Amino acid sequence: MKSTLLLLLCASCTFGAQQTLAQSLLWYEKPASIWEEALPLGNGRLGAMVFGQTSTERIQLNEDSLWPGGPDDWGLADGNPEDLEFIRQLLLQGENKKADSLLVAKFSRKSITRSHQTLGDLWLDLRHEQVSNYRRELDLDQALATVSYTVEGYDFSQKVFSSALDQAIVIRLESKHPKGINGKIRLSRPEDDGYPTVTVQATSNQTLQMEGEITQRRGQIDSKPSPILHGVKFQTIAFIENESGKTFQKGDHIEVEGVEVLTIKLVTNTSYYHQDFQRKNQEQLQNIKAKTFEELEQRHITDYQSLFQRVKFSLEEPNPLDIPTDQRIERVKEGNSDLYLESLLFDFGRYLLISSSRPGTLPANLQGLWNRHIEAPWNADYHLNINLQMNYWPAEVTNLSELHEPFFDYMDQLILSGKKTARETYGMRGAALAHGSDLWHMTFLQAAQAYWGAWLGAGGWMMQHFWERYLFTQDKNFLRQRFLPAMEQVAAFYLDWLVPYPEDGKWVSSPSTSPENSFINAKGESVASTMGAAMDQQIIAEVFDHFMQASKILGYQSPVLDEVKSKRQNLRSGLRTGNDGRLLEWDQEYEEPEKGHRHMSHLYAFHPGNAITKNKTPDLFEAVKKTLDYRLAHGGAGTGWSRAWLINFSARLHDGEMAHEHIQKLIQHSLYPNLFDAHPPFQIDGNFGYTAGVAEMLLQSHDGFIHLLPALPKGWKNGKITGLKARGNFTVNMEWKDGELKTASISAPIGGKAFLKYKGNLLEIDLEKGETFEFSLQ
């Protein structure tokens, strides 16, 4: 039913008194003593962690393609269609445990060690021991890390950035000391199980060079040792420029003497991106040699701000920069609230996405871009049962749509690999995607146990991002050229994968698991595989629905589409409730060994999906509440990313107080001093999930209308946000005071019709291309 907002409308009204946006700044009074205190920089491909140490400064380096091995190292699992059919018969007989075992034995390559790896470290041996007035900071508005202090009464400063335009990490040191800067500049890389991994040499008084090839001597496949002695090759060059003083070539390092201003320009290229990566290094180095530090810095800032400044968010907070960031976290742990830290953490997620995902790079991995290991936790790879997807939840809504491109490019390659897996392993059409992959796009199962790795819903979940990209941009060329070809492959696999459920003959996924969770079967066994787990059914329904909707928009016809329409009508629902009113996670109402499990996969249709909404499915909406209450009552959301998901769930429930409670708990329990998300250990998905959750609290557009401030907590009494995106390609600005919307504007770059909702009232607007609708509430 349509009602009217109580609006004071005007053709060109302006916002009232503007809030002064606080600078988005992390700052500290001491150097980083551990990696989780260092400050991250990145240009999408090249990353750095700046420690700010005074005696021996460490700048840990990363490049996104540094992986061991190659695309043809490992074949598929041994399983075949006959093995699959036998597993399905075991499930029909209630032999879930045997099915689990056979699923792993036949279709999984079991535990794998093949990790994204560190590029190494740049060391600056400065020998500054006794210092005062120390300050270390990361300016999110300019993507600059700076260190300043006084040594022997004279000022010293360091500035670092990673430029996307010039593909370089640039460092400037300045000293007012009459003796200038003195010390050594070194490059190094950790050994691989005791073996050197690089050669380093100073090739001139100004040039330091490091070369190597990624190996994994403790690699494994099928849960067995499998040394990997080849991989991506790389070269790093650090070029040193000095004002006054001298630099000296000394074997594997460069010595610096009496330099007033020292600039280091560092480039890295790999064989993954360029066949002649050494030549590419020389091209990039010559390019930046010709530019001054000031030119490089300004080019970097202008490029970065074209992305970061699209969205601005502030919450009223007195003296927001008077307390160091690490101390702010400790104060929240003591029970205090910190609105500035909450808004800073939102900006930090956008900063990390800009820094770890640019068009033409690899997508942000499990640690984004920043990884100090030769053998990283969970390989710092791509987990497709929520982690990679969560990394990109903020992309569209926070106006960073082009940063989604690496995700789509990666998915295109997974589709090619998945077609081979579907055909040769399962004897099916389309593309089969499992829960994990890496640089080389493997799509076979990798699980030593069925409950955490025998899941094939990844393809459908990945395709949701393609659909969301279309909804936010309304780009029919993307829908036709990128979405439809990939979606047809994913849909075709699910068409062949489905089997009739014995009780009602409806189509279900089999074998089917719920990511990383298990249940107690009729025999009292803790098992994972069944027929038609809720998440699989929800994802397949969504795949079919989106494929049909896209085909209708584009006027597309195909035999696969005809099959989708037929099977969608008889697909078993993944939206079923148990006797206590909770959504069922599996095909039946089983006991759960982990009642507070961190994954809440059976709520996929609620978030990030939109099949369950308060407006369209009120009964299921209430079932979601009961499900979350139950999980939390049993200790759920113990990890950072899981807590971030709960912020999003709470926002979709329109419960601002619940969302704010989980924001505070995330800061209290799941945040390192440098604001990295603590799984623990570090996983970046919690950072991205947090930013998406805050956006979801302020703006929602998944239910057929643009909902303004749907989950505003009481603690956010006064605030402002500009530049958020709504589905339909609308840009939204809002300001609120005393918990009430004060002013808002909605602009339409391509024009369009939309419904605005605020506190139960609905208003229809129809905008021409480039038109802006502005209003204020009295």
Side-chain angles (χ1 to χ4, degrees), residues 111-142:
S111 290
I112 290 171
T113 300
R114 186 167 68 174
S115 175
H116 177 255
Q117 296 184 11
T118 178
L119 172 59
D121 297 275
L122 175 68
W123 304 92
L124 310 176
D125 297 327
L126 301 171
R127 300 190 292 272
H128 294 164
E129 303 294 345
Q130 300 298 321
V131 305
S132 58
N133 302 320
Y134 183 92
R135 184 180 176 97
R136 178 171 58 100
E137 62 182 46
L138 175 62
D139 185 340
L140 301 185
D141 190 57
Q142 297 188 331

Tab-separated table of all heavy atoms in Angstrom, residues 111-142:
chain	number	residue	atom	x	y	z
A	111	SER	N	43.727	-32.930	2.223
A	111	SER	CA	44.438	-31.723	2.674
A	111	SER	C	45.516	-31.319	1.683
A	111	SER	O	46.268	-32.150	1.181
A	111	SER	CB	45.069	-31.968	4.042
A	111	SER	OG	44.071	-32.058	5.029
A	112	ILE	N	45.573	-30.009	1.427
A	112	ILE	CA	46.501	-29.452	0.450
A	112	ILE	C	47.312	-28.341	1.098
A	112	ILE	O	46.758	-27.525	1.845
A	112	ILE	CB	45.738	-28.896	-0.771
A	112	ILE	CG1	45.140	-30.043	-1.597
A	112	ILE	CG2	46.624	-28.029	-1.643
A	112	ILE	CD1	44.193	-29.581	-2.677
A	113	THR	N	48.604	-28.324	0.838
A	113	THR	CA	49.429	-27.179	1.198
A	113	THR	C	50.064	-26.648	-0.078
A	113	THR	O	50.938	-27.276	-0.676
A	113	THR	CB	50.528	-27.553	2.214
A	113	THR	OG1	49.921	-28.060	3.405
A	113	THR	CG2	51.357	-26.327	2.572
A	114	ARG	N	49.570	-25.507	-0.518
A	114	ARG	CA	50.095	-24.791	-1.672
A	114	ARG	C	49.658	-23.346	-1.454
A	114	ARG	O	48.542	-22.976	-1.766
A	114	ARG	CB	49.564	-25.368	-2.983
A	114	ARG	CG	50.202	-24.727	-4.214
A	114	ARG	CD	49.906	-25.500	-5.490
A	114	ARG	NE	48.510	-25.448	-5.895
A	114	ARG	CZ	48.042	-25.963	-7.037
A	114	ARG	NH1	48.877	-26.598	-7.865
A	114	ARG	NH2	46.769	-25.879	-7.350
A	115	SER	N	50.550	-22.551	-0.917
A	115	SER	CA	50.164	-21.295	-0.281
A	115	SER	C	50.594	-20.061	-1.062
A	115	SER	O	51.666	-20.032	-1.679
A	115	SER	CB	50.796	-21.231	1.121
A	115	SER	OG	50.549	-19.999	1.748
A	116	HIS	N	49.754	-19.034	-0.992
A	116	HIS	CA	50.230	-17.700	-1.350
A	116	HIS	C	51.361	-17.339	-0.393
A	116	HIS	O	51.320	-17.699	0.782
A	116	HIS	CB	49.109	-16.668	-1.238
A	116	HIS	CG	49.547	-15.267	-1.514
A	116	HIS	ND1	49.719	-14.327	-0.514
A	116	HIS	CD2	49.881	-14.644	-2.666
A	116	HIS	CE1	50.133	-13.191	-1.044
A	116	HIS	NE2	50.237	-13.350	-2.348
A	117	GLN	N	52.394	-16.628	-0.892
A	117	GLN	CA	53.577	-16.401	-0.070
A	117	GLN	C	54.014	-14.942	-0.075
A	117	GLN	O	53.697	-14.168	-0.976
A	117	GLN	CB	54.729	-17.280	-0.567
A	117	GLN	CG	54.459	-18.771	-0.420
A	117	GLN	CD	55.640	-19.623	-0.817
A	117	GLN	OE1	56.744	-19.131	-1.022
A	117	GLN	NE2	55.419	-20.932	-0.920
A	118	THR	N	54.775	-14.609	0.953
A	118	THR	CA	55.356	-13.275	1.081
A	118	THR	C	56.376	-13.019	-0.023
A	118	THR	O	57.043	-13.939	-0.497
A	118	THR	CB	56.016	-13.096	2.450
A	118	THR	OG1	56.606	-11.791	2.529
A	118	THR	CG2	57.102	-14.137	2.688
A	119	LEU	N	56.480	-11.760	-0.417
A	119	LEU	CA	57.549	-11.351	-1.329
A	119	LEU	C	58.869	-11.200	-0.585
A	119	LEU	O	59.942	-11.403	-1.160
A	119	LEU	CB	57.163	-10.030	-2.004
A	119	LEU	CG	58.216	-9.319	-2.857
A	119	LEU	CD1	58.682	-10.217	-4.007
A	119	LEU	CD2	57.656	-8.010	-3.411
A	120	GLY	N	58.793	-10.868	0.693
A	120	GLY	CA	60.010	-10.688	1.483
A	120	GLY	C	59.958	-9.402	2.282
A	120	GLY	O	58.872	-8.918	2.634
A	121	ASP	N	61.139	-8.831	2.553
A	121	ASP	CA	61.217	-7.649	3.405
A	121	ASP	C	62.255	-6.667	2.876
A	121	ASP	O	63.319	-7.060	2.381
A	121	ASP	CB	61.613	-8.035	4.835
A	121	ASP	CG	60.575	-8.923	5.499
A	121	ASP	OD1	59.616	-8.377	6.056
A	121	ASP	OD2	60.721	-10.168	5.438
A	122	LEU	N	61.915	-5.403	3.010
A	122	LEU	CA	62.870	-4.328	2.819
A	122	LEU	C	63.288	-3.852	4.203
A	122	LEU	O	62.439	-3.505	5.036
A	122	LEU	CB	62.236	-3.179	2.028
A	122	LEU	CG	63.093	-1.930	1.857
A	122	LEU	CD1	64.296	-2.206	0.956
A	122	LEU	CD2	62.255	-0.781	1.281
A	123	TRP	N	64.592	-3.854	4.457
A	123	TRP	CA	65.127	-3.462	5.762
A	123	TRP	C	65.903	-2.152	5.631
A	123	TRP	O	66.724	-1.999	4.723
A	123	TRP	CB	66.057	-4.532	6.317
A	123	TRP	CG	65.434	-5.893	6.436
A	123	TRP	CD1	65.452	-6.895	5.513
A	123	TRP	CD2	64.693	-6.405	7.549
A	123	TRP	NE1	64.779	-7.990	5.963
A	123	TRP	CE2	64.304	-7.721	7.212
A	123	TRP	CE3	64.335	-5.873	8.790
A	123	TRP	CZ2	63.561	-8.516	8.089
A	123	TRP	CZ3	63.594	-6.668	9.653
A	123	TRP	CH2	63.212	-7.972	9.305
A	124	LEU	N	65.654	-1.241	6.554
A	124	LEU	CA	66.385	0.024	6.617
A	124	LEU	C	67.094	0.085	7.965
A	124	LEU	O	66.470	0.323	9.003
A	124	LEU	CB	65.421	1.211	6.460
A	124	LEU	CG	64.448	1.148	5.269
A	124	LEU	CD1	63.485	2.330	5.304
A	124	LEU	CD2	65.207	1.102	3.953
A	125	ASP	N	68.394	-0.212	7.940
A	125	ASP	CA	69.176	-0.211	9.186
A	125	ASP	C	69.585	1.225	9.503
A	125	ASP	O	70.619	1.720	9.044
A	125	ASP	CB	70.424	-1.092	9.032
A	125	ASP	CG	70.065	-2.545	8.786
A	125	ASP	OD1	69.028	-2.992	9.314
A	125	ASP	OD2	70.804	-3.230	8.056
A	126	LEU	N	68.776	1.900	10.308
A	126	LEU	CA	68.972	3.324	10.575
A	126	LEU	C	69.747	3.582	11.865
A	126	LEU	O	70.319	4.659	12.058
A	126	LEU	CB	67.608	4.019	10.659
A	126	LEU	CG	66.732	3.897	9.398
A	126	LEU	CD1	65.336	4.436	9.670
A	126	LEU	CD2	67.374	4.628	8.238
A	127	ARG	N	69.693	2.622	12.790
A	127	ARG	CA	70.414	2.709	14.068
A	127	ARG	C	69.985	3.925	14.891
A	127	ARG	O	70.798	4.551	15.564
A	127	ARG	CB	71.930	2.703	13.829
A	127	ARG	CG	72.440	1.451	13.131
A	127	ARG	CD	73.954	1.369	13.133
A	127	ARG	NE	74.573	2.404	12.304
A	127	ARG	CZ	74.826	2.267	11.004
A	127	ARG	NH1	74.490	1.147	10.375
A	127	ARG	NH2	75.409	3.230	10.322
A	128	HIS	N	68.718	4.255	14.849
A	128	HIS	CA	68.166	5.316	15.698
A	128	HIS	C	67.659	4.668	16.985
A	128	HIS	O	66.585	4.064	17.006
A	128	HIS	CB	67.018	6.033	14.982
A	128	HIS	CG	67.452	6.804	13.776
A	128	HIS	ND1	66.572	7.246	12.810
A	128	HIS	CD2	68.669	7.214	13.364
A	128	HIS	CE1	67.222	7.898	11.873
A	128	HIS	NE2	68.499	7.882	12.181
A	129	GLU	N	68.435	4.769	18.039
A	129	GLU	CA	68.117	4.051	19.273
A	129	GLU	C	67.307	4.889	20.254
A	129	GLU	O	66.251	4.474	20.729
A	129	GLU	CB	69.410	3.560	19.943
A	129	GLU	CG	70.271	2.665	19.045
A	129	GLU	CD	69.610	1.345	18.718
A	129	GLU	OE1	68.635	0.980	19.378
A	129	GLU	OE2	70.091	0.661	17.782
A	130	GLN	N	67.794	6.048	20.580
A	130	GLN	CA	67.135	6.904	21.562
A	130	GLN	C	66.319	7.963	20.826
A	130	GLN	O	66.862	8.920	20.286
A	130	GLN	CB	68.179	7.562	22.470
A	130	GLN	CG	69.036	6.585	23.245
A	130	GLN	CD	68.228	5.721	24.193
A	130	GLN	OE1	67.281	6.193	24.826
A	130	GLN	NE2	68.605	4.445	24.294
A	131	VAL	N	64.991	7.778	20.810
A	131	VAL	CA	64.130	8.711	20.081
A	131	VAL	C	63.039	9.248	21.006
A	131	VAL	O	62.744	8.664	22.051
A	131	VAL	CB	63.493	8.033	18.849
A	131	VAL	CG1	64.555	7.421	17.940
A	131	VAL	CG2	62.475	6.985	19.264
A	132	SER	N	62.446	10.350	20.602
A	132	SER	CA	61.336	10.959	21.345
A	132	SER	C	60.324	11.493	20.342
A	132	SER	O	60.563	11.512	19.133
A	132	SER	CB	61.849	12.077	22.246
A	132	SER	OG	62.519	13.075	21.491
A	133	ASN	N	59.173	11.935	20.868
A	133	ASN	CA	58.111	12.514	20.032
A	133	ASN	C	57.709	11.573	18.897
A	133	ASN	O	57.464	12.012	17.774
A	133	ASN	CB	58.556	13.860	19.445
A	133	ASN	CG	58.934	14.865	20.512
A	133	ASN	OD1	58.278	14.940	21.542
A	133	ASN	ND2	59.993	15.612	20.272
A	134	TYR	N	57.619	10.291	19.203
A	134	TYR	CA	57.338	9.297	18.169
A	134	TYR	C	55.861	9.321	17.785
A	134	TYR	O	54.974	9.414	18.637
A	134	TYR	CB	57.705	7.893	18.657
A	134	TYR	CG	57.512	6.832	17.597
A	134	TYR	CD1	58.551	6.468	16.754
A	134	TYR	CD2	56.275	6.212	17.419
A	134	TYR	CE1	58.374	5.505	15.763
A	134	TYR	CE2	56.087	5.253	16.437
A	134	TYR	CZ	57.146	4.915	15.606
A	134	TYR	OH	56.967	3.974	14.623
A	135	ARG	N	55.602	9.209	16.489
A	135	ARG	CA	54.226	9.091	15.984
A	135	ARG	C	54.249	8.281	14.682
A	135	ARG	O	55.066	8.515	13.796
A	135	ARG	CB	53.612	10.463	15.733
A	135	ARG	CG	52.134	10.405	15.305
A	135	ARG	CD	51.595	11.803	15.079
A	135	ARG	NE	50.221	11.788	14.591
A	135	ARG	CZ	49.140	11.929	15.348
A	135	ARG	NH1	49.268	12.104	16.661
A	135	ARG	NH2	47.926	11.931	14.811
A	136	ARG	N	53.317	7.338	14.606
A	136	ARG	CA	53.168	6.489	13.423
A	136	ARG	C	51.705	6.529	13.014
A	136	ARG	O	50.814	6.388	13.851
A	136	ARG	CB	53.586	5.056	13.780
A	136	ARG	CG	53.448	4.029	12.681
A	136	ARG	CD	54.109	2.716	13.102
A	136	ARG	NE	53.550	2.167	14.319
A	136	ARG	CZ	52.652	1.173	14.375
A	136	ARG	NH1	52.226	0.626	13.242
A	136	ARG	NH2	52.193	0.725	15.518
A	137	GLU	N	51.433	6.724	11.716
A	137	GLU	CA	50.034	6.846	11.326
A	137	GLU	C	49.785	6.334	9.915
A	137	GLU	O	50.695	6.255	9.087
A	137	GLU	CB	49.560	8.292	11.454
A	137	GLU	CG	50.276	9.292	10.586
A	137	GLU	CD	49.779	10.709	10.818
A	137	GLU	OE1	49.625	11.124	11.988
A	137	GLU	OE2	49.537	11.414	9.808
A	138	LEU	N	48.532	5.982	9.671
A	138	LEU	CA	48.048	5.601	8.356
A	138	LEU	C	46.870	6.500	8.029
A	138	LEU	O	45.826	6.450	8.694
A	138	LEU	CB	47.616	4.124	8.337
A	138	LEU	CG	46.978	3.617	7.038
A	138	LEU	CD1	47.947	3.721	5.867
A	138	LEU	CD2	46.486	2.168	7.208
A	139	ASP	N	47.028	7.323	7.022
A	139	ASP	CA	45.983	8.243	6.579
A	139	ASP	C	45.148	7.528	5.527
A	139	ASP	O	45.605	7.312	4.405
A	139	ASP	CB	46.636	9.511	6.010
A	139	ASP	CG	45.614	10.568	5.632
A	139	ASP	OD1	44.425	10.220	5.445
A	139	ASP	OD2	45.995	11.752	5.526
A	140	LEU	N	43.915	7.157	5.890
A	140	LEU	CA	43.071	6.419	4.958
A	140	LEU	C	42.580	7.287	3.815
A	140	LEU	O	42.226	6.772	2.745
A	140	LEU	CB	41.859	5.828	5.700
A	140	LEU	CG	42.146	4.869	6.853
A	140	LEU	CD1	40.853	4.293	7.396
A	140	LEU	CD2	43.089	3.753	6.424
A	141	ASP	N	42.549	8.587	4.001
A	141	ASP	CA	42.073	9.478	2.955
A	141	ASP	C	43.104	9.666	1.840
A	141	ASP	O	42.751	10.019	0.719
A	141	ASP	CB	41.716	10.844	3.551
A	141	ASP	CG	40.990	11.728	2.552
A	141	ASP	OD1	39.937	11.309	2.043
A	141	ASP	OD2	41.503	12.833	2.253
A	142	GLN	N	44.383	9.411	2.147
A	142	GLN	CA	45.428	9.567	1.148
A	142	GLN	C	46.224	8.291	0.910
A	142	GLN	O	47.097	8.259	0.038
A	142	GLN	CB	46.391	10.683	1.568
A	142	GLN	CG	45.722	12.050	1.662
A	142	GLN	CD	46.729	13.167	1.897
A	142	GLN	OE1	47.783	12.960	2.493
A	142	GLN	NE2	46.395	14.355	1.437
